[in-house]
């Protein structure tokens, strides 16, 4: 019995706990690998090479690197910092910012869960290829790649298309074939079982599993890389990737949209699991440094792995031209790669390596997204009454049953529709609210108290109104007209807000404190984002940990949020020609449940009280305390350590702190 217990504890070790009683990662490396595992998936191995192929040339890296710097890294810093500082999943973490942001946290996890439910059935496709790789060439797909994928793997059956006439829908599409693939069901169950094994004991087991689910794919990618670049004529494809320059493509909005979308989707921000994972990290770890490591590692992996795809592009002589159809994620992963592997010496070995890599990458992404949901349930008022293994088990079983709908004869079309709108609507809207809300709603009472509520309302009406109307006119009239209207509304409302504003009695720092209009501008434009950075730095910039820089809030509010809003605006025009598709309507509707959740929780925060423990609900009610560091003194006393400070726009007012402490005592 003793031996069995030792084996059990070695395989499924009990979790370690931090001083506040929360489970914690076995090591910082475990946290980083788990976070990278959530980011690394099909988006890196398949989507990235297809996007680069469609925008071939060295010029791709200009918008790509800009998007990483201005979008991915700032948002990731936000997600990791609030999870780490507030020791909870997304709902409680965003509640700690403001109670009206609870819905943003739930919306992020809801989006990740939607993706997880159809992501695992995609793994069943890979399992079929993996199983078929254990035979000498010819493979099951030899000479019939498309037929094998569409008929044998995803069993896609023809639908009866809908009809749009005279601008209205005459009939909706229908799917007479509703059979289920027993093999896909079996592989889906196996995939969910593996996901459950990776999370059922919490971070104690996840922190050990990641060495396999991330380490092994990296090793296998290196093997595939060596084979891909050594193929005959591989240099032609690699030149297309890294040796050509097409400056005219930078004048097109397509490459910028593709690069921004790729960085956003492949990094994994907006799904909520980074916040969940960070909540099990050391409270005083360097969130900024960890964010840079995760983003950089993710980018290096996909940039390096793309050499495999472009070696194959050269080998198959797939040079793009004006008449070439854009290369899609599925066509690359399930048509192009298998065809190329079939023609290689030692094909079975490389087929096994390639599809096993995809399986492990998919598993690591799947359990990260499900873990986001498990964490907010375990942190909730009622969920914390149950063991982690119970919550994880129930979530896994329910998710598994739901995912069976994607194993049907219409499952491929259903998966495409759900994927399209979950990413283009739910994910983008949740991420926009995340960026804008955290730098506007956070401690808004301080801003309203300093410049007046009318000024605060007019400025933010101009920000949102300019963005919404500008995008609407850009799509209906022209991009230039939309830009003119959008910026015009924003400028007029900004000037009006500055004129309406009363003079703040708390002086803005440095340059902005020189005159009354600059002082008003600082409170309206920068205060919330800057104060959030200062408050988070009390925890995440302790000791030698890196501080969140002053420019961070500016990037979130004035770069990341508008970019996400503009990309989001493309979703609705693209739905119009497909509105007769019954499955498109399904995906469109499911995605809007995320929007409704965020909006409803903003208007009625008590709607989500069930997910917030009683003792933490008051955290979302921020008292009026302009420029006062929240919790700084309590942190110093309880930990007996020196806390870090941020630089740049930081400005603490001793008078304000004294007034705030006096109010608290009263």
């Amino acid at each position: 019995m003793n031996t069995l217990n030792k084996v059990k504890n070695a395989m499924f070790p009990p979790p370690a706990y931090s001083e506040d009683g929360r489970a914690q990662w076995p090591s910082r490396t475990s946290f980083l690998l788990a976070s990278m595992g959530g980011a690394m998936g099909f988006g890196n191995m398949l989507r990235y090479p297809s996007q680069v192929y469609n925008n071939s040339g060295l010029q791709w890296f200009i918008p790509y690197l800009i998007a990483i710097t201005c979008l991915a890294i700032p948002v990731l810093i936000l997600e990791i910092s609030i999870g780490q500082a507030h020791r909870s999943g997304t709902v409680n973490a965003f509640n700690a910012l403001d109670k009206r942001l609870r819905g943003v946290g739930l919306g992020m996890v809801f989006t990740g869960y939607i993706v997880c439910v159809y992501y695992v059935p995609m793994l069943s496709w890979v399992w079929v290829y993996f199983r078929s790789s254990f035979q000498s060439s010819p493979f099951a797909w030899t000479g019939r790649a498309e037929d094998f994928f569409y008929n044998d793997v995803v069993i896609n059956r023809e639908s009866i298309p809908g009809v749009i006439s005279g601008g209205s829908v005459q009939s909706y599409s229908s799917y007479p074939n509703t059979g289920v693939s027993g093999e896909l069901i079996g592989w889906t169950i196996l995939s969910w079982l593996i996901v459950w094994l990776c999370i059922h004991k919490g971070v104690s087991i996840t922190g050990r599993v990641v060495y396999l689910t991330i380490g092994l794919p990296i090793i296998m990618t290196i093997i595939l890389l060596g084979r891909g670049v050594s193929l005959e004529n591989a240099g032609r494809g690699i030149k297309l990737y890294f040796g050509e320059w097409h400056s005219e493509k930078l004048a097109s909005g397509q490459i910028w949209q593709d690069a921004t979308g790729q960085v956003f989707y492949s990094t994994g921000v907006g799904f909520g699991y980074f916040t969940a994972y960070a909540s099990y990290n050391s409270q005083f770890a360097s969130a900024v440094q960890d964010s840079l490591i995760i983003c950089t590692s993710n980018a290096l992996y996909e940039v390096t792995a793309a050499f495999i795809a472009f070696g194959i592009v050269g080998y198959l002589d797939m040079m793009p031209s004006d008449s070439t159809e854009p290369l899609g994620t599925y066509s690359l992963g399930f048509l192009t790669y298998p065809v190329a592997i079939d023609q290689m010496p030692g094909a079975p070995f490389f087929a096994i390596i390639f599809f096993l890599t995809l399986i492990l990458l998919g598993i690591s992404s799947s359990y990260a997204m499900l873990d986001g949901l498990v964490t907010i349930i375990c942190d909730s008022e009622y969920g914390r009454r149950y063991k982690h293994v119970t919550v994880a088990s129930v979530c896994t079983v329910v998710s598994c049953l739901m995912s069976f709908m994607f194993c049907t004869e219409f499952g491929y079309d259903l998966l495409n529709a759900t994927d399209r709108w979950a990413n283009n609507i739910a994910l983008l809207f949740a991420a926009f609210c995340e960026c804008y809300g955290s730098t506007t709603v956070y401690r808004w009472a301080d801003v309203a108290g300093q410049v007046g509520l009318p000024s605060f309302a007019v400025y933010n009406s101009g920000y949102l109104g300019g963005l919404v109307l500008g995008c609407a006119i850009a799509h209906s009239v022209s991009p230039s007209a939309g830009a003119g209207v959008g910026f015009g509304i924003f400028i007029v409302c900004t000037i009006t807000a500055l004129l309406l504003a009363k003079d703040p009695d708390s002086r803005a720092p440095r340059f902005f404190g020189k005159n009354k209009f600059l002082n008003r501008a600082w409170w309206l434009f920068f205060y919330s984002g800057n104060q959030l950075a200062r408050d988070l730095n009390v925890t995440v910039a302790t000791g030698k940990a890196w501080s969140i820089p002053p420019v961070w809030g500016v990037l979130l509010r004035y770069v990341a949020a508008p970019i996400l809003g503009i990309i989001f605006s493309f979703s609705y025009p693209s739905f119009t020609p497909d509105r007769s598709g019954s499955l498109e309507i399904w995906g469109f509707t499911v995605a809007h449940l995320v929007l409704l959740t965020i909006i409803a929780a903003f208007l009625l925060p008590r709607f989500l009280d069930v997910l917030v423990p009683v003792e933490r609900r008051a955290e979302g009610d921020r008292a009026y305390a302009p420029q006062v560091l929240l919790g700084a003194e309590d942190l110093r006393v309880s930990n007996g350590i020196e806390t870090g400070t941020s630089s740049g726009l930081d400005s603490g007012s001793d008078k304000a702190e004294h007034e705030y402490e006096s109010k608290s005592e009263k």
Side-chain angles (χ1 to χ4, degrees), residues 161-180:
V163 177
I164 299 176
S165 179
S168 61
V169 178
Q170 302 299 314
S171 64
Y172 293 95
S173 62
S174 60
Y175 294 82
N177 299 299
T178 58
V180 177

Side-chain angles (χ1 to χ4, degrees), residues 233-492:
N233 294 323
R236 294 177 62 191
I238 293 172
K239 182 182 178 183
L240 179 69
Y241 179 34
F242 244 86
E244 293 186 5
W245 173 261
H246 304 283
S247 58
E248 70 280 359
K249 290 191 175 184
L250 292 174
S252 167
Q254 188 63 47
I255 190 173
W256 294 89
Q257 185 181 347
D258 289 346
T260 301
Q262 172 58 33
V263 165
F264 189 72
Y265 300 136
S266 72
T267 305
V269 292
F271 290 120
Y273 55 78
F274 285 120
T275 300
Y277 278 174
S279 71
Y280 301 112
N281 205 11
S282 167
Q283 190 173 12
F284 306 108
S286 182
V288 176
Q289 190 178 72
D290 289 347
S291 301
L292 290 173
I293 291 172
I294 294 166
C295 265
T296 303
S297 300
N298 180 70
L300 284 175
Y301 179 79
E302 65 184 9
V303 168
T304 304
F307 280 97
I308 304 170
F310 280 92
I312 290 173
V313 164
Y315 177 61
L316 298 178
D317 195 22
M318 292 174 52
M319 296 298 109
S321 64
D322 294 336
S323 59
T324 303
E325 285 290 321
L327 186 63
T329 301
Y330 297 156
S331 60
L332 176 64
F334 300 104
L335 301 178
T336 306
Y337 270 120
V339 168
I341 290 172
D342 188 24
Q343 299 176 27
M344 294 179 188
F349 171 76
F350 290 107
I352 292 169
I353 292 291
F354 174 69
F355 292 115
L356 182 58
T357 301
L358 287 184
I359 288 169
L360 291 172
L361 290 175
I363 290 292
S364 65
S365 294
S366 299
Y367 69 66
M369 287 184 281
L370 186 62
D371 232 352
L373 176 65
V374 171
T375 297
I376 66 168
I377 294 176
C378 290
D379 286 346
S380 68
E381 178 65 25
Y382 298 102
R384 60 184 180 176
R385 300 175 185 177
Y386 302 96
K387 291 182 178 180
H388 187 282
V389 65
T390 303
V391 175
S393 300
V394 171
C395 288
T396 304
V397 171
V398 171
S399 304
C400 181
L401 294 174
M402 290 178 63
S403 67
F404 289 165
M405 73 177 86
F406 299 103
C407 301
T408 60
E409 291 179 328
F410 60 87
Y412 178 74
D413 290 335
L414 178 63
L415 190 149
N416 280 324
T418 309
D419 174 68
R420 179 184 181 186
W421 301 115
N423 285 289
N424 293 349
I425 288 183
L427 177 60
L428 291 175
F429 185 79
F432 169 80
C433 293
E434 173 188 8
C435 296
Y436 180 71
S438 61
T439 54
T440 303
V441 179
Y442 183 69
R443 297 185 67 168
W444 68 274
D446 293 350
V447 182
Q450 288 294 305
V451 299
L453 185 58
S455 177
F456 175 79
V458 168
Y459 176 73
N460 285 286
S461 297
Y463 182 104
L464 292 175
L467 185 59
V468 172
L469 290 176
C471 289
I473 292 174
H475 289 297
S476 59
V477 181
S478 70
S480 57
V485 170
F487 279 110
I489 292 173
F490 176 67
I491 291 171
V492 168

Side-chain angles (χ1 to χ4, degrees), residues 483-561:
V485 170
F487 279 110
I489 292 173
F490 176 67
I491 291 171
V492 168
C493 287
T494 298
I495 294 172
T496 303
L498 289 173
L499 294 174
L500 283 175
K502 63 182 184 180
D503 290 331
D505 55 26
S506 180
R507 187 170 61 84
R510 299 190 178 182
F511 169 78
F512 290 96
K514 291 183 177 180
N515 65 60
K516 65 179 183 179
F517 284 106
L518 287 175
N519 201 18
R520 296 174 185 177
W522 182 81
W523 280 95
L524 284 170
F525 301 169
F526 307 121
Y527 174 76
S528 291
N530 180 61
Q531 193 61 38
L532 177 58
R534 294 183 65 221
D535 290 343
L536 288 174
N537 276 338
V538 169
T539 303
V540 303
T542 297
K544 295 182 179 179
W546 296 0
S547 296
I548 299 174
V551 73
W552 172 72
V554 178
L555 290 175
L556 283 178
R557 191 174 188 181
Y558 298 106
V559 179

Side-chain angles (χ1 to χ4, degrees), residues 49-117:
S50 66
Q51 293 297 310
V52 179
Y53 178 86
N54 298 331
N55 297 277
S56 53
L58 199 57
Q59 72 285 338
W60 160 266
F61 290 95
I62 293 178
Y64 176 73
L65 293 175
I66 290 175
I68 289 175
T69 304
C70 298
L71 181 63
I73 292 175
V75 178
L76 187 56
I77 289 174
L78 171 66
E79 294 187 6
I80 290 180
S81 295
I82 62 173
Q84 188 173 303
H86 298 294
R87 314 293 288 158
S88 59
T90 53
V91 174
N92 286 329
F94 276 95
N95 173 70
L97 300 188
D98 192 278
K99 64 182 179 181
R100 296 189 183 276
L101 296 180
R102 295 174 181 176
V104 176
L106 181 59
M108 291 166 63
V109 172
F110 189 2
T111 302
Y113 183 68
I114 293 171
V115 174
C116 184
V117 168

Side-chain angles (χ1 to χ4, degrees), residues 195-208:
V195 167
W196 177 82
L197 288 172
C198 293
I199 67 170
H200 77 288
K201 285 286 188 179
V203 294
S204 61
I205 186 67
T206 305
R208 288 163 172 79

